[in-house]
């Protein structure tokens, strides 16, 4: 029962976070491109395509996490994306670059707190990826009244 609760909370949390962060970046693509440029890790030719398509990937992951479709593979993709974000943030921070995070809006500098926040979000993604090994089915129970009628 506890694993089922963790399953639903993890899906809701990650799905909501990815939907929100993708939506914010989609509303300000050029600001997000400036944030990516500030990392000084991506060649200039890739900045605008990355700023354009990454928010759609986040929104897609958020919708798939909330829908529950192929949850093991979708959560693996979410974990990979979060791990990539953590690595990019850590590299930028350790190089001493004062860059805008661009994670959930703009104006927040990369700090150990932003790296820790993304690391905490990695936990439910990894949990959803490995929870299928426990062979626990976390489905929404059918309404007994509807079952009796049909």
């Amino acid at each position: 029962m506890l694993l089922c609760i963790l399953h639903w909370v993890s899906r809701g949390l990650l799905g909501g976070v990815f939907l929100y962060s993708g939506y914010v970046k989609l509303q300000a693509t050029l600001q997000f491109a400036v944030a990516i440029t500030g990392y000084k890790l991506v060649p200039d030719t890739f900045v605008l395509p990355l700023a354009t398509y990454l928010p759609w990937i986040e929104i897609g992951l958020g919708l798939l996490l909330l829908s529950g479709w192929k949850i093991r593979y979708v959560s693996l993709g979410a974990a990979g994306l979060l791990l990539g974000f953590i690595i990019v943030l850590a590299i930028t921070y350790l190089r001493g670059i004062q860059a805008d995070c661009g994670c959930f809006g703009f104006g927040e500098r990369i700090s150990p707190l932003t790296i820790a926040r993304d690391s905490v979000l990695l936990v439910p993604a990894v949990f959803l990826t490995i929870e299928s090994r426990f062979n626990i089915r976390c489905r929404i129970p059918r309404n007994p009244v509807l079952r009796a009628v049909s």
Side-chain angles (χ1 to χ4, degrees):
M1 179 67 173
L2 178 62
L3 289 178
C4 286
I5 293 170
L6 287 174
H7 171 91
W8 287 103
V9 169
S10 296
R11 277 181 50 193
L13 174 74
L14 283 176
V17 164
F18 276 117
L19 280 176
Y20 176 75
S21 66
Y23 175 77
V24 168
K25 293 170 189 168
L26 200 60
Q27 295 302 308
T29 305
L30 293 179
Q31 279 184 305
F32 184 46
V34 170
I36 293 172
T37 303
Y39 291 157
K40 298 179 183 171
L41 288 173
V42 179
D44 291 340
T45 56
F46 296 123
V47 169
L48 197 55
L50 191 62
T52 303
Y53 296 115
L54 186 61
W56 286 109
I57 292 170
E58 289 181 318
I59 289 171
L61 279 173
L63 289 173
L64 289 172
L65 282 164
L66 291 175
S67 74
W69 185 75
K70 303 277 187 184
I71 195 71
R72 180 177 179 189
Y73 303 108
V74 173
S75 60
L76 181 63
L81 190 61
L82 284 168
L83 189 60
F85 289 160
I86 292 166
I87 290 169
V88 167
L89 291 173
I91 288 171
T92 304
Y93 179 75
L94 291 174
R95 288 173 53 204
I97 298 172
Q98 297 293 318
D100 185 5
C101 178
C103 301
F104 299 103
F106 307 99
E108 179 184 19
R109 296 280 182 207
I110 297 173
S111 68
L113 182 62
T114 57
I115 297 168
R117 180 183 59 209
D118 279 8
S119 299
V120 168
L121 288 173
L122 185 61
V123 173
V126 170
F127 168 74
L128 287 172
T129 302
I130 64 171
E131 70 135 352
S132 63
R133 300 273 187 219
F134 300 121
N135 290 327
I136 294 176
R137 301 276 185 220
C138 296
R139 306 242 186 252
I140 298 174
R142 288 185 166 195
N143 188 335
V145 173
L146 293 177
R147 198 175 328 157
V149 172
S150 55

